[in-house]
Structures are given as structure tokens and as C-alpha cells.
Amino acid sequence: MLKKLIVASVVVSALLFTVLAWWLSAPNGEEGPNTTGLPMKIVRRYWPGTYWIEIADKKGWFREAGLNVELVDGNPDYCGSLQDMVDGKVDVNGFSLFDVISYNAAGADLVLVINCDISSGSEAIVARPSIETITDLRGKTIGVASNSYTEYILDFALNRYGLSSADVIKVAITDEKAAEEFGKGALDAIATWEPVVSEAIEKWSGRKLFDTSEASGLSPNGQVFHRSFIEARPGDVQAYVNVWHKATRYIKEHPHEAFAIIADIYSVTPSEVAAFERLDRVLSLRENHTTFSYGAGFESLHGSARKMNDFLIDKGVIVEHLDSTQFLDATFINTLSHSLRRRPQ
């Protein structure tokens, strides 16, 4: 009998140790979701809202969370990487909210589950030095990607200062090549994103007329999955959101170490990485609760989506508003928050 009690005690102790070890290894102490172990292709990009992906990969946090990830370089062609996502060549990618709406209007079924960042100056309008204000753009030639979120930002700025698309001459270019096209001398201005904005200013003496810091929430970005992926692999999506929270907290609490990781990957300085993050603010879990809440203004993803819908209808790209509740899903953010509240103190 004594021998049986000793054996039972050892077994129970071993089980308790295993449970404790599992709990301690779970991201931030919350319960770990059930993951499939199936491959997950994630697009990486030199962008503050996706810094966390490469940091988490370097730290081994995806693997610890039970995710079998492969990072795919999306830097050469942002729009191309979005199409790869729509075509099913990758499983998760960072999209601007505008692009989520555009692709869904064309038949995709994409769902944004994390609002990773909000532009605070990372998109801008840059003009020749002789052009001093937005109103001076009347009759001028502006390079911008057609029907893109940078064109949406351009039209917002024009309207704010009493102009419209009809008052300027738009020339279709790609955002990645905007500075190069600006340098050729045929364009009076361009609307594009960083680091292309800085290139146009530093290399071609461009003057910044407007940037998104003047309208907080104008250009939100986030991580996007296919609806079919979410339905088939919800545990993988939840684990992914949990890792985002862990890595984002690391960026907030250890910025020097975090920025050094990104600087090493992209052969830039940590100060450049930090400066870029100031132009595209990384959002926290708490801020996601605010942005996913239903509202009419830019503080809400739903409010921003409504304004983007209006723009696309005016452009004739879509004929009716898309229901934002169908492509903005706070389920995994909320589940993470609930698990953190249940965590033993």
C-alpha cells in the first residue's frame, strides 16, 4: 500500500510540474490555444506595424506558441504581396484598411483581426520647392497610385484645403517608384509613403506639404487573414494574436533592443528604425479595443471604413457600402484580453 501511495504521489507531482511548466511557457502566462502545426506563410516588411513579426521570429516566440511559420519578403512590391495574399500564396499579410475594403469589394473575403499601427506621418504629399501649400497644387501634375490608399489620402488633403481631384492632374505611378519618378522632373508633386517620402525630400529637394500626422486615424493598418483560414484554424489565429501582443509589449518596454533587431535585418541604424516608428505609431492591445469599437470618426476602424467606402463609391470603384462588421473582427483581441484578466496574479 505504501509503495502504491509513493508511486501515486510521484505521478501527481509530475503532472503538476508539467502543468506548471506549460503555464509558464504560455505567452504572457495566458492559456495557450490549440494550434495545428500546419505551415503558415507570413509576409514581412520594413514597416513599423510589422516590426513585431521579425522580432517574434528572431526570439522564437512563434515556435514557442506552436506556430510553424515561414516569413515571406513583401518589401519589393507591396501591392504584389497583397495580390499574393488574395491568390492564396500567403496566409497572413499586413494591409491598409483601405486595401482590405478594395480587395473585398472585388470579391476577396479578407478579415482584419489586429490593428497593428496607425499612420502618424508615414504617408505624405511632397512637391517641388516652389510649391508652398496644398492650394498651390491647383493645375499641377501629381503622381499617385490609382485607386490606392495614397490617392485617398491625397484627395482628403485636397478637400481639406478647398480643392478636388478635378483641380489637379493625376498621373498613375507606383508608390515604390514615386521618388524616382519625382526625380525625373515631369511631376510637380507626389503622394506616397515612407521611406520613399524621405528619399524624395533628401535626394530631390522636395517640400512636404501634408502628412498623415495632420489627421490621426486617416490611415490605419492591420494583420489580415482569409475568412476560410480563420474558420479552419482559429487556434492558429489566436496564437498569432497572442504573439503579436507579446512582441508589441517587448517593443514598448525594450525599444532599443527591439529596434536593434530590425536595424540589423535591414542594414539601417536603430535611430532610423525608431524615427520611422514615430511616423507610424505601433498600437497596443488597449488601443485595439478603442479602434475596433463602433464609431463614426477616425478613432474607430468602422468610422474610417465608412469614409473609405464613400471615396471608392465616388471614384466608381464600388457601387455600395461594404458592411464593416464583416471584415473587422475583434474576436481574437477580446479573447486575449479575457485570458489576461483570468491570469493568476
Side-chain angles (χ1 to χ4, degrees):
M1 176 64 72
L2 180 59
K3 184 177 181 180
K4 289 182 179 179
L5 288 173
I6 292 173
V7 170
S9 177
V10 171
V11 170
V12 170
S13 297
L15 286 172
L16 288 173
F17 178 81
T18 300
V19 170
L20 179 61
W22 170 84
W23 181 82
L24 290 173
S25 65
N28 300 307
E30 67 266 15
E31 294 180 7
N34 293 322
T35 54
T36 65
L38 295 172
M40 178 189 291
K41 289 187 177 182
I42 305 169
V43 174
R44 68 178 181 89
R45 187 177 294 112
Y46 180 47
W47 189 258
T50 55
Y51 284 172
W52 72 271
I53 292 173
E54 289 172 294
I55 291 169
D57 185 60
K58 288 289 184 181
K59 292 287 189 179
W61 291 334
F62 287 122
R63 184 176 61 256
E64 289 178 9
L67 295 174
N68 177 15
V69 307
E70 174 189 346
L71 302 193
V72 178
D73 188 4
N75 286 287
D77 186 357
Y78 169 73
C79 291
S81 77
L82 301 189
Q83 190 61 52
D84 285 345
M85 174 75 181
V86 172
D87 293 341
K89 296 178 181 178
V90 294
D91 299 305
V92 56
N93 196 354
F95 274 61
S96 72
L97 177 58
F98 183 94
D99 289 322
V100 174
I101 297 170
S102 296
Y103 279 97
N104 279 0
D109 199 4
L110 306 173
V111 181
L112 189 148
V113 301
I114 315 171
N115 182 194
C116 296
D117 56 293
I118 286 181
S119 179
S120 300
S122 53
E123 292 87 8
I125 300 169
V126 178
R128 299 287 165 202
S130 59
I131 299 174
E132 298 183 354
T133 68
I134 291 290
T135 54
D136 294 335
L137 290 174
R138 186 184 299 273
K140 297 297 192 293
T141 301
I142 305 175
V144 63
S146 297
N147 299 328
S148 67
Y149 85 91
T150 45
E151 186 180 12
Y152 166 70
I153 291 168
L154 170 62
D155 277 25
F156 174 87
L158 292 174
N159 292 335
R160 171 174 277 194
Y161 290 92
L163 301 180
S164 71
S165 286
D167 295 315
V168 300
I169 302 165
K170 293 180 181 178
V171 176
I173 59 172
T174 65
D175 286 286
E176 290 88 353
K177 299 291 185 181
E180 180 181 323
E181 295 298 322
F182 186 66
K184 292 177 181 178
L187 299 173
D188 297 306
I190 55 173
T192 187
W193 57 53
E194 288 288 1
V196 184
V197 168
S198 292
E199 181 184 353
I201 293 171
E202 295 164 9
K203 191 173 181 179
W204 306 108
S205 302
R207 179 198 295 271
K208 185 185 291 187
L209 302 182
F210 173 90
D211 68 38
T212 47
S213 67
E214 297 181 44
S216 180
L218 178 62
S219 180
N221 308 283
Q223 291 291 289
V224 170
F225 288 86
H226 286 279
R227 184 177 305 280
S228 58
F229 187 104
I230 293 173
E231 292 173 349
R233 299 166 60 177
D236 290 347
V237 179
Q238 187 64 62
Y240 188 77
V241 173
N242 293 356
V243 173
W244 159 77
H245 176 56
K246 181 173 185 176
T248 300
R249 283 183 57 191
Y250 180 80
I251 293 171
K252 299 286 188 181
E253 295 171 3
H254 307 282
H256 298 298
E257 295 88 340
F259 294 155
I261 292 172
I262 301 301
D264 184 61
I265 293 171
Y266 288 103
S267 300
V268 295
T269 66
S271 60
E272 288 176 300
V273 175
F276 197 0
E277 195 276 334
R278 288 193 291 273
L279 295 176
D280 186 72
R281 191 165 61 83
V282 173
L283 299 184
S284 67
L285 177 61
R286 182 184 297 274
E287 287 171 310
N288 266 250
H289 287 298
T290 299
T291 59
F292 272 101
S293 297
Y294 204 88
F298 284 135
E299 72 282 354
S300 165
L301 291 171
H302 296 277
S304 292
R306 180 76 182 186
K307 298 176 190 301
M308 293 170 185
N309 268 294
D310 290 341
F311 170 83
L312 289 168
I313 289 173
D314 289 342
K315 294 282 291 182
V317 177
I318 62 177
V319 296
E320 60 183 1
H321 284 93
L322 276 65
D323 181 358
S324 59
T325 63
Q326 296 302 303
F327 55 81
L328 297 173
D329 187 354
T331 300
F332 300 97
I333 289 291
N334 292 335
T335 297
L336 170 59
S337 293
H338 292 157
S339 69
L340 291 175
R341 284 196 291 269
R342 293 197 305 268
R343 184 179 63 184
Q345 299 299 315

